[in-house]
Amino acid sequence: MFIGLFSVRIVLNGLGEEDYGIYNVVGGVVTMLAFLNNSLSSATQRFLSFELGKGNKKELHSIFCNSMTLYIVVCVILLVLAETLGLWFVNNKLVIPDERMVATNWIYQFSIISFLCTILSSPFNAAIIAREKMGVYAYVSIAESLLKLALIYSILILGGDKLIIYGFFMMLVAVSVFIFYMAYCLMNFEETKYRYVFDKNKIKEIGGFAGWGVWGALSNIFKGQGVNILLNIFFGPVVNASRGIAYQVEGAINTLVQNFYTAMRPQLIKSYAANETEEVFKLLDMSTRLGYYMMFLVSLVFLYETPLIFSLWLGQIPQYSVDFTRLVLIGQLFIVLANPLMTAIHATGKVAKYQFWSGCIFMIVLPFSYFILELDQNSFWPFVVLIISSLAYWLLTIERCYKLIGLSLKSYFAMVFRLLLVSLVLLLGGQLLYQWGPEGWVGFVVLCFYTIVIGLTAILFIDCSKSERVMIKKIILLKLHK
């Protein structure tokens, strides 16, 4: 997380706000084509975890090979779309200064290659996650961040067009990560040794699961990169830079939560496949609470001390980046609450209605944002719309879990009430410190200390049950005796 955040300052200073905004929005055009890949990746991981839960090795290999065949087809489709429709859009619709069009086209081609490597890495990633080899996943993520940091530093030294150099280096990282994941899986997992297989029934089963995911993923593109392009059209690349900063912060904080969810996801799916209902609900409860607190406690510091953090992190703070960051983090809290429930829905395989309605919720973010911006050209409106849609998505996810796995609404909302009560206590104390506490770095240190000490205390005595407090006490005493 910290490496990723530190890298942004170097990139922003090395490229400047305009080039950073160009990279953000051009890379986003390529990412818009990712909806097929994201859907297939979720489907592959779900089916691999399900068969591992059943202990069926033959089906495991069949699922991987059929999935890989689909990935290859997806690569061909996306390459054609990127080099036709996507290329036309970049050159004719984006607001890019004329003197930066050559660099923009280079960045676009590098982004396509990086993206294709990411697609082909996905089935191998799914195999690693399904096997719960999280150590490998973590080490590669750290190595990838360090490699990016080293290459980013070089743009400050090398001559030439820094935007082109940066895009080329990011492409090299993507290629290297793909080669490593493929080599590791081929050496360690028998089921990842690909041979051409086209089993119509398997393709139909995986494709059927992924098909509704395409709608859901496409809607995420609309509310994510679609809004980014909308901001570019209305306000230009400088606003894209501010939005890019906000999502870098959100992505860095969310990485902590998503890595935790990534480790939890195979366990939940395997428990569902083995009909261990009680274990499923325990995992849902634990992952929801821990994931939310991880996101909230870090976000709390950013919500109050964003200008101070940005002044140290970025030096010169891009306009709007502070407010964008606060709005993005608020919306992400609802997504974090929904994520464990979404995994439970995927475990059932009954995703059609859920993907349709969640897709509708996020699909309207773009047209509604456009409508509001036509009436009032204030760049904050799309972020407000996104917060409202995230809340609606969370409520939909609760309803689907109630229908599909028998989620107890009374127990779930009692848990949510405790989460909100802890959050309210911390927010009230944080507001008092913000208004009457010390300023500058002393205030920042006091807020961090408050967040950790009071936050953990509030969680322990407001949210945790008596049996959980006893268990935590035993664990602490055991650690101290060692």
Side-chain angles (χ1 to χ4, degrees):
M1 179 182 79
F2 293 109
I3 295 173
L5 290 175
F6 182 64
S7 300
V8 175
R9 172 171 182 159
I10 303 171
V11 175
L12 186 61
N13 290 339
L15 299 181
E17 279 189 50
E18 186 175 78
D19 275 3
Y20 183 78
I22 291 172
Y23 183 82
N24 189 268
V25 73
V26 171
V29 173
V30 178
T31 307
M32 284 182 67
L33 302 173
F35 59 91
L36 289 174
N37 171 58
N38 293 338
S39 304
L40 281 173
S41 181
S42 296
T44 302
Q45 188 180 322
R46 186 265 175 188
F47 282 100
L48 288 175
S49 296
F50 199 89
E51 295 303 332
L52 279 170
K54 287 185 171 182
N56 194 332
K57 292 184 179 181
K58 184 177 179 181
E59 283 297 302
L60 201 62
H61 186 241
S62 175
I63 286 168
F64 181 86
C65 291
N66 279 284
S67 297
M68 196 68 191
T69 300
L70 278 174
Y71 274 92
I72 293 170
V73 172
V74 166
C75 279
V76 174
I77 293 171
L78 294 183
L79 182 60
V80 172
L81 287 173
E83 294 293 4
T84 52
L85 183 61
L87 190 61
W88 170 82
F89 187 84
V90 167
N91 283 280
N92 293 277
K93 294 298 179 181
L94 291 185
V95 179
I96 306 291
D98 292 339
E99 66 272 13
R100 301 307 290 148
M101 285 307 300
V102 172
T104 296
N105 278 277
W106 274 108
I107 285 295
Y108 184 69
Q109 296 302 323
F110 293 148
S111 298
I112 291 173
I113 296 171
S114 300
F115 179 57
L116 292 178
C117 287
T118 302
I119 292 176
L120 294 175
S121 297
S122 293
F124 299 108
N125 287 348
I128 291 171
I129 293 169
R131 290 279 188 177
E132 298 185 55
K133 301 293 184 182
M134 300 307 165
V136 175
Y137 198 72
Y139 290 140
V140 172
S141 297
I142 293 170
E144 181 181 0
S145 298
L146 290 172
L147 182 58
K148 283 182 178 179
L149 183 61
L151 294 175
I152 287 168
Y153 258 116
S154 65
I155 70 174
L156 302 176
I157 302 170
L158 297 175
D161 194 307
K162 295 185 184 300
L163 181 59
I164 295 176
I165 295 171
Y166 177 67
F168 177 72
F169 283 161
M170 292 304 101
M171 179 192 71
L172 287 182
V173 173
V175 172
S176 301
V177 170
F178 162 61
I179 292 172
F180 176 83
Y181 276 133
M182 180 175 63
Y184 177 84
C185 288
L186 290 175
M187 289 188 292
N188 291 278
F189 307 141
E190 188 68 28
E191 69 270 14
T192 61
K193 293 181 179 178
Y194 176 72
R195 60 183 177 84
Y196 175 75
V197 175
F198 194 88
D199 184 325
K200 288 184 179 179
N201 292 328
K202 279 285 178 294
I203 293 290
K204 185 178 179 181
E205 189 178 8
I206 298 169
F209 185 93
W212 282 108
V214 169
W215 170 250
L218 184 60
S219 68
N220 282 324
I221 296 301
F222 269 66
K223 62 107 173 175
Q225 295 305 326
V227 169
N228 195 26
I229 291 171
L230 188 66
L231 290 171
N232 176 265
I233 293 171
F234 273 91
F235 305 105
V238 173
V239 171
N240 291 125
S242 295
R243 180 192 177 275
I245 294 295
Y247 275 95
Q248 283 286 348
V249 173
E250 180 271 329
I253 298 173
N254 199 38
T255 296
L256 295 172
V257 184
Q258 291 307 318
N259 286 342
F260 167 69
Y261 283 158
T262 298
M264 174 277 302
R265 197 173 293 123
Q267 297 177 39
L268 198 152
I269 294 173
K270 290 173 186 177
S271 296
Y272 182 85
N275 293 316
E276 297 172 351
T277 307
E278 187 176 345
E279 184 65 19
V280 169
F281 288 123
K282 282 183 180 178
L283 286 168
L284 277 177
D285 180 80
M286 179 190 70
S287 57
T288 300
R289 292 161 66 195
L290 290 178
Y292 175 82
Y293 285 133
M294 289 166 68
M295 186 75 189
F296 178 77
L297 292 177
V298 180
S299 297
L300 182 67
V301 177
F302 271 92
L303 289 173
Y304 285 114
E305 295 290 353
T306 313
L308 183 66
I309 295 171
F310 278 16
S311 66
L312 173 67
W313 174 34
L314 302 173
Q316 185 177 356
I317 304 174
Q319 189 180 15
Y320 308 121
S321 59
V322 170
D323 292 320
F324 284 1
T325 300
R326 288 168 172 164
L327 292 170
V328 167
L329 290 178
I330 292 170
Q332 188 59 31
L333 287 170
F334 293 114
I335 303 297
V336 166
L337 284 171
N339 277 342
L341 300 177
M342 178 192 67
T343 300
I345 294 169
H346 283 184
T348 68
K350 300 174 183 178
V351 297
K353 186 177 288 189
Y354 172 71
Q355 293 287 13
F356 174 75
W357 286 112
S358 64
C360 288
I361 288 171
F362 287 130
M363 193 70 77
I364 65 173
V365 170
L366 181 61
F368 202 69
S369 296
Y370 177 80
F371 174 74
I372 295 177
L373 287 176
E374 284 286 347
L375 297 175
D376 179 19
Q377 290 194 13
N378 186 323
S379 57
F380 299 119
W381 281 119
F383 296 93
V384 175
V385 174
L386 187 58
I387 291 172
I388 297 170
S389 66
S390 298
L391 172 60
Y393 167 71
W394 174 48
L395 296 175
L396 169 70
T397 310
I398 294 171
E399 185 272 337
R400 284 287 83 203
C401 268
Y402 169 71
K403 292 287 181 64
L404 294 175
I405 66 170
L407 177 71
S408 170
L409 296 182
K410 181 180 179 181
S411 298
Y412 183 79
F413 281 112
M415 176 194 67
V416 170
F417 176 76
R418 295 193 303 272
L419 297 181
L420 294 178
L421 189 57
V422 171
S423 302
L424 183 61
V425 169
L426 289 171
L427 283 169
L428 288 174
Q431 186 64 30
L432 292 174
L433 285 174
Y434 183 71
Q435 289 182 334
W436 291 300
E439 297 181 353
W441 286 108
V442 175
F444 175 76
V445 172
V446 170
L447 179 63
C448 290
F449 182 79
Y450 164 82
T451 302
I452 295 171
V453 175
I454 304 300
L456 294 179
T457 303
I459 292 169
L460 191 62
F461 289 99
I462 296 176
D463 186 34
C464 292
S465 64
K466 184 178 179 180
S467 60
E468 288 173 332
R469 288 196 293 270
V470 170
M471 181 184 67
I472 292 169
K473 182 180 178 181
K474 287 181 179 179
I475 293 172
I476 293 173
L477 289 175
L478 184 64
K479 294 289 184 183
L480 290 175
H481 286 142
K482 286 184 177 180

